[in-house]
Amino acid sequence: MTPLLEVSGVSHSYHTMEGETNALSHITFSIYNGEFVAIVGPSGCGKTTLLTLLAGLAVPESGTILLNGRPAAESHERIGYMFQRDRLLEWRTILGNVSLGLEIQKRLTPQTREELLSMLDAYGLGEFAHSRPSELSGGMRQRAALIRTLALKPDLLLLDEPFSALDYQTRLTVCDDISSIIRKNRKTAVLVTHDLSEAISAADRILVLSPRPGTLKGEISLDFAGETSPIRRRNMPQFSTYFNSVWKELKTDETVSHEQIPEETAAAEPSAPE
Ligand code: ADP
Ligand code: MG
């Protein structure tokens, strides 16, 4: 079976007035149709950079990224991208927000509008279709942002720390909701996070990145005997075993990096998207 996504030997640097920042180094992995893969790594290790490259928004300095066999930047696959903050437009209703992408692509028809309304219904936002984003809770807003992304029927869903702006309780439920929506729709998804509990609770497989420059340190396939609910997974005995093994890898590396490049590490955290 050809992977949906094939990343081979990818390295990437940023060149600025201050010099060169090597963000990613020799990353190789594949993702198959229908998989839910989490990528974990400390802040500043190149996770957002990697997603930007996967989305074809930038071309890697070296190495290749293929989507169904074509370079990501030229591929015909539809890619959905979900950010840390929901980026809903406050002056539009929820229906207006979730239909924005289709409207821009001139694909909003009475039929696609109906589909959106039934998606809002299915995900508990039906009665808020005509409300403004400010009337919704953080978790509901994030669900609306996911529906907006799914409305374009992406072949690959890229999620960049989508829960990190939420408080802990909300985060658990929204992570549960959102991963069940992704699984119900059988989407191939890549979830980037610095929170390894989140990764273990949601994904089928975890890729562990080292501190910057991000290299692929390890890969762990998760087996929760078919259980896909993040909240239920957190109570299963496997959870803490996986947690300990991933934690050990991440922790060893962080210590090394801070000793080696204290100043750069301190400056490494890019400003969060507003
Ligand atoms: P993460 O998402 O894991 O926190 P990023 O991919 O955002 O990491 O950043 C990786 C490294 O690249 C960081 O050191 C960051 O400061 C740097 N970086 C990210 N974007 C840019 C940019 N546009 N210009 C220069 N450096 C950047
Ligand atoms: Mg990031």
Side-chain angles (χ1 to χ4, degrees):
M1 193 166 66
T2 321
L4 173 63
L5 183 70
E6 215 172 342
V7 177
S8 322
V10 163
S11 301
H12 198 69
S13 311
Y14 293 101
H15 302 271
T16 61
M17 300 290 275
E18 289 76 43
E20 184 179 340
T21 306
N22 193 205
L24 293 169
S25 176
H26 300 95
I27 306 268
T28 298
F29 64 88
S30 295
I31 294 180
Y32 290 86
N33 251 319
E35 270 196 299
F36 191 149
V37 173
I39 300 179
V40 295
S43 288
C45 77
K47 301 183 294 301
T48 297
T49 303
L50 183 57
L51 279 198
T52 312
L53 298 173
L54 298 187
L57 297 171
V59 177
E61 209 168 43
S62 60
T64 53
I65 298 181
L66 301 179
L67 252 171
N68 269 332
R70 282 170 193 262
E74 300 162 19
S75 82
H76 294 173
E77 276 66 31
R78 293 193 193 141
I79 295 182
Y81 202 114
M82 195 166 150
F83 302 93
Q84 187 171 349
R85 298 283 171 97
D86 57 54
R87 302 195 176 190
L88 296 177
L89 302 175
E90 297 298 336
W91 65 89
R92 283 192 156 226
T93 62
I94 293 303
L95 179 61
N97 267 286
V98 299
S99 56
L100 185 66
L102 289 172
E103 224 175 293
I104 291 171
Q105 296 188 354
K106 312 253 183 305
R107 284 161 59 204
L108 188 64
T109 61
Q111 193 203 333
T112 52
R113 189 175 181 277
E114 274 314 305
E115 280 173 21
L116 286 177
L117 282 168
S118 58
M119 270 176 102
L120 286 172
D121 253 346
Y123 304 130
L125 295 174
E127 56 184 295
F128 296 93
H130 303 288
S131 309
R132 305 279 157 188
S134 60
E135 296 167 60
L136 270 64
S137 68
M140 291 159 90
R141 293 177 61 119
Q142 208 57 0
R143 254 184 283 154
L146 180 68
I147 295 170
R148 180 182 56 190
T149 312
L150 291 177
L152 296 170
K153 301 202 167 42
D155 301 303
L156 174 66
L157 201 55
L158 304 175
L159 307 148
D160 194 356
E161 312 227 17
F163 315 120
S164 56
L166 304 169
D167 65 72
Y168 185 69
Q169 300 293 334
T170 313
R171 193 172 171 155
L172 291 183
T173 16
V174 175
C175 176
D176 214 66
D177 285 351
I178 286 188
S179 49
S180 92
I181 296 171
I182 290 170
R183 290 189 185 275
K184 238 180 249 155
N185 287 278
R186 295 182 203 289
K187 289 292 172 198
T188 312
V190 181
L191 166 72
V192 150
T193 176
H194 62 266
D195 179 342
L196 59 120
S197 303
E198 198 165 278
I200 297 167
S201 71
D204 299 320
R205 189 151 61 94
I206 298 187
L207 306 179
V208 183
L209 295 187
S210 69
R212 189 172 66 78
T215 56
L216 189 58
K217 281 217 62 197
E219 188 174 330
I220 297 164
S221 286
L222 302 169
D223 182 0
F224 282 93
E227 178 58 73
T228 54
S229 153
I231 289 178
R232 286 200 289 271
R233 277 188 179 191
R234 283 174 190 263
N235 292 316
M236 292 173 75
Q238 298 93 314
F239 189 86
S240 55
T241 316
Y242 288 131
F243 186 94
N244 288 333
S245 49
V246 187
W247 175 248
K248 256 184 219 150
E249 283 200 28
L250 282 171
K251 204 156 162 71
T252 335
D253 255 358
E254 251 179 330
T255 324
V256 171
S257 127
H258 284 157
E259 277 163 14
Q260 284 177 342
I261 40 168
E263 277 163 27
E264 280 177 276
T265 309
E269 180 65 359
S271 57
E274 70 325 315

